Amino acid sequence: MSFITDLLNIIGNFIHGIIQSIFGFSPFLVDAITMGLAAVILCTFAAVSFMGLTYVERKLVARIQDRVGPNQAGPVGLLQPIADGIKMFTKEDTTPAAADRWVYNLAPLVIAVFALTTYAVLPFAPGIVGTNLNIGAFYVLAIGSGSIIAIIMAGWGSNNKYALLGAFRTVAQLVGYEVPMLLNVLPVIMLAGSMSLIDIIDHQTLANGGTGIPNIVLLPFCALVFLISGIAETARSPFDLLEAESEIVAGFHVEYSGMKFALFFLGEYVNALAVAFMFTVLFLGGYAGPILPPYVWMLLKAAAVFTVFMWLRGTLPRIRVDQMHNMNWKFLVPASIVNLILVMILLKLFPSDAALAQANGGILVTPAVQAGILFASNLVVMLGALAIAARRARGARLAEEEMLAARRAENMAAAKA
Amino acid sequence: MITTAALLMGVTLIAASLLRPKKPSKAKLETYECGMETVGDTWVQFRVQYYVLALVFVVFDIEAVLLFPIAVAFNALSWFAVLNVVIFILILLAALVYAWRKGALEWE
Amino acid sequence: MTLQLILFFVFSLVVLGAALFVVTSRNLFRSALMLVLSFFGVAGLYVLLDAGLFAVAQILIYIGAISILIIFAVMLTRGMQGMEPRNSQYVGAAVVAALVFAGMLFILGPFRVTFDPQSVPLLNLIFRNATPREVGAVAWPYALEQAGALRVVPETYIADFGRALVDINQYLLPFLLIALMVDVALAGAVHIARQRRPQEMIEDRQELEAEIASEQAAIEALQRSAAPALPDTAVAAGNEH
């Protein structure tokens, strides 16, 4: 039983031992080679899951839309990703004549590299992590933010007005939704007292004095806004107005084809999977769970989150660009700020640690009660924000109807006269 | 620490650049300019709203980066410190409200 | 030649080389991208200093936000290609840059200077009670490391930094001032970039027309004064301008 649970650990130790003993390198070199191998394995995992995910997504979205999806390549269409891969490899790589060589060629590479680098800090099991940075959560957000530059590179390098315009609009969207993401990871870090992803998971399990309650129960509003921002960050549906075929002709990657386009595509899916993993780590408790080995739990939870992504893609209509920006800056950001302030005040009012209660005052409560208080406050913020938004929307709609009615009355009067 | 991330990057770079040259070239279509015609320079009517949005993002980015270490040290902070952090956040919320009222957040 | 030293040289080369490219390139957009590369080099240097938090903050703020802002600002100007890297003031600028560099070498180097404000004729009126100060003699990390006197960055530096930011005896005032300063910058940008109301658009246009009219009047006055009644000298004077 413990063999299955510790499978990854055993394999890792085995390989490490082999490298150490057979080649007799210095410890530093052995470490370097092991880390290199870990990097290769992570990249392979990301690439393979990318292939599988494109297939699953197409099938799931097809079923939601009452059709079958790919079923020609192999049994039940299982070889579809391979067919797609062959297509991407053999497509001609047309490069526009006036494009800026370096920038044009470098852009998809930068996006793919940034997307894959986020996997370096994701913990798949208690000991299995690329590198346990003590700034893990911050690192993932920063790398996601850094990949935005590559989109401008792609748009500019294509030397195409529409690509450039699409790049600007994409960047405006990504940059806008970065803010609620940052603001809603803060309460999680406040609870856990550390930015390291393993510490955050430990806080949600019963290990090391954690609470044993996943953060989604404590902070549902934060989880929801993080999910929405994550979907918008990776420019998936319903936020994919920039790669919609009816809009600016496929956006900033209109001049790319073949392997480079495949790299953009890979970047998008790898980013989405990274967001799913981050959500499970931050809010669902990561690899914690009974009976099954931890890495299985991690993959199951991430798969569940990604299923939600695919479900939303198949169900919701595309959002208009001004609706998207309004929702971000006028709804999500103020609500997140209010939520943050509320959580801070409540955490200080109702600490769950005896020593802190002594030092700073406040009413000592058990972790469960604190969880309940935070949950209630999050619900209040969510419902309050929705109520305010609904009231404003109703006011706007009523005003518009009045205006239309007035104009109709005018026209009738003018027609009679 | 960063070495693993750098190694990841390196592996991806090598892998991607090895994969890339495998394009069988239909050489006759080499100068095919797909996409729209580009009449004139690549200078689009750049609306200033993009710049204002980027600036608002810079403001909130700086705020978030300063709030992250404070969040890490949150448990040990006194009430006075928390009050100051709340004031900090409210100042930036005021900036957002100002931008909202002045119509800087309209029309993407 | 430890790995750290090699990495330090690599990152420094990246920072300096990219910065050189930024100021000498003729293509404005490539300059902006090289600036991004320079920021990456700085982040690498932060990592070498055991300050991972600041490296990641550098990537998040500088590369994720400020370089986008710079590129957007660059897009607002026309003529992105064929920019001339030197203008007519480059000699003076080079002299000033060399002086500043020499000053920094002096202050951050092994020289030590004792500066007594009392001895300078005008300054001793302002700084009446000042004691002599020593400037310089900065021990660089490499020298400290060789001497085994390097201070190690503690494990809890993130929490320490967080606490210091809100401690009234440490960085609380700069912390709140940052918020105010950033607010003011945002308010200024919003004000400048706001949508002009129709009345303001009319006023803007009137201003512009008045400017053009006054410039034309000035040109005509100049032409008339430079050219006494003879037509061909008027043409010659006109061609001179």
Side-chain angles (χ1 to χ4, degrees), chain A residues 188 192 194-204 215 281-282:
Chain A
V188 174
S194 159
M195 295 195 260
S196 156
L197 291 179
I198 292 199
D199 284 350
I200 293 178
I201 295 183
D202 277 345
H203 179 78
Q204 298 175 64
N215 279 335
V281 164
L282 289 175

Side-chain angles (χ1 to χ4, degrees), chain B residues 19-41:
Chain B
L19 292 173
R20 252 200 292 141
K22 282 200 196 119
K23 48 185 200 297
S25 49
K26 295 187 220 146
K28 349 187 235 283
L29 293 177
E30 194 60 75
T31 52
Y32 176 67
E33 190 168 297
C34 56
M36 310 291 127
E37 87 293 351
T38 55
V39 177
D41 302 327

Side-chain angles (χ1 to χ4, degrees), chain A residues 42-397:
Chain A
L42 275 174
C43 283
T44 320
F45 166 70
V48 166
S49 52
F50 157 66
M51 286 172 55
L53 282 175
T54 53
Y55 169 73
V56 171
E57 166 142 31
R58 287 170 73 168
K59 274 293 204 185
L60 187 66
V61 169
R63 287 290 174 180
I64 293 179
Q65 295 171 347
D66 203 17
R67 53 186 174 91
V68 182
N71 62 350
Q72 295 295 319
V76 206
L78 275 173
L79 295 180
Q80 183 67 35
I82 303 186
D84 279 339
I86 298 178
K87 175 186 81 171
M88 287 299 179
F89 274 124
T90 56
K91 261 218 157 115
E92 181 194 349
D93 212 351
T94 57
T95 311
D100 195 344
R101 291 274 141 210
W102 276 92
V103 175
Y104 177 79
N105 284 331
L106 216 52
L109 211 58
V110 170
I111 285 191
V113 162
F114 270 87
L116 285 172
T117 317
T118 51
Y119 282 73
V121 290
L122 291 176
F124 291 97
I128 309 293
V129 61
T131 163
N132 184 20
L133 291 179
N134 61 347
I135 43 171
F138 200 30
Y139 170 82
V140 171
L141 293 169
I143 298 289
S145 170
S147 66
I148 298 179
I149 275 289
I151 296 180
I152 297 186
M153 280 169 69
W156 170 261
S158 307
N159 203 19
N160 184 344
K161 265 189 285 224
Y162 298 97
L164 197 60
L165 198 57
F168 286 160
R169 292 169 60 158
T170 310
V171 163
Q173 173 183 330
L174 295 192
V175 137
Y177 276 91
E178 187 81 27
V179 178
M181 233 169 141
L182 289 170
L183 287 175
N184 280 294
V185 171
L186 279 169
V188 174
I189 296 182
M190 278 198 274
L191 281 175
S194 159
M195 295 195 260
S196 156
L197 291 179
I198 292 199
D199 284 350
I200 293 178
I201 295 183
D202 277 345
H203 179 78
Q204 298 175 64
T205 64
L206 288 168
N208 296 343
T211 56
I213 311 172
N215 279 335
I216 195 172
V217 172
L218 275 89
L219 300 165
F221 179 74
C222 296
L224 190 63
V225 175
F226 184 83
L227 199 67
I228 297 176
S229 316
I231 298 180
E233 272 288 307
T234 53
R236 288 179 65 87
S237 199
F239 293 100
D240 65 346
L241 38 80
L242 299 140
E243 66 176 11
E245 285 81 28
S246 54
E247 296 245 351
I248 313 264
V249 198
F252 63 92
H253 47 71
V254 63
E255 293 277 7
Y256 287 89
S257 62
M259 197 61 210
K260 299 198 198 109
F261 178 73
L263 279 178
F264 276 121
F265 207 47
L266 177 125
E268 176 184 328
Y269 273 88
V270 164
N271 247 335
L273 191 61
V275 168
F277 272 120
M278 274 299 283
F279 186 80
T280 62
V281 164
L282 289 175
F283 292 104
L284 292 179
Y287 50 68
I291 307 176
L292 290 173
Y295 50 91
V296 173
W297 269 119
M298 182 76 163
L299 292 175
L300 272 180
K301 291 179 188 175
V305 175
F306 203 82
T307 309
V308 170
F309 285 178
M310 296 192 278
W311 189 359
L312 286 175
R313 174 182 179 151
T315 316
L316 293 176
R318 201 169 280 142
I319 274 192
R320 228 173 43 218
V321 67
D322 61 322
Q323 285 175 337
M324 175 191 74
H325 280 275
N326 280 344
M327 179 172 91
N328 181 26
W329 292 107
K330 302 185 183 178
F331 181 67
L332 288 181
V333 170
S336 305
I337 290 182
V338 167
N339 183 39
L340 182 67
I341 295 178
L342 211 56
V343 165
M344 287 205 302
I345 296 180
L346 286 175
L347 269 184
K348 276 302 171 190
L349 266 181
F350 303 105
S352 65
D353 190 10
L356 292 173
Q358 286 274 343
N360 297 326
I363 311 168
L364 179 63
V365 294
T366 63
V369 175
Q370 187 186 50
I373 293 175
L374 285 176
F375 177 73
S377 83
N378 264 307
L379 271 186
V380 162
V381 169
M382 186 155 46
L383 295 174
L386 281 174
I388 294 179
R391 199 172 313 149
R392 286 178 72 107
R394 194 179 338 131
R397 198 173 52 233

Side-chain angles (χ1 to χ4, degrees), chain A residues 35 43 133 159 330 348, chain B residues 1 4 8 23 42 77 106:
Chain A
M35 282 201 288
C43 283
L133 291 179
N159 203 19
K330 302 185 183 178
K348 276 302 171 190
Chain B
M1 174 176 78
T4 306
L8 248 171
K23 48 185 200 297
T42 313
L77 289 181
E106 292 301 323

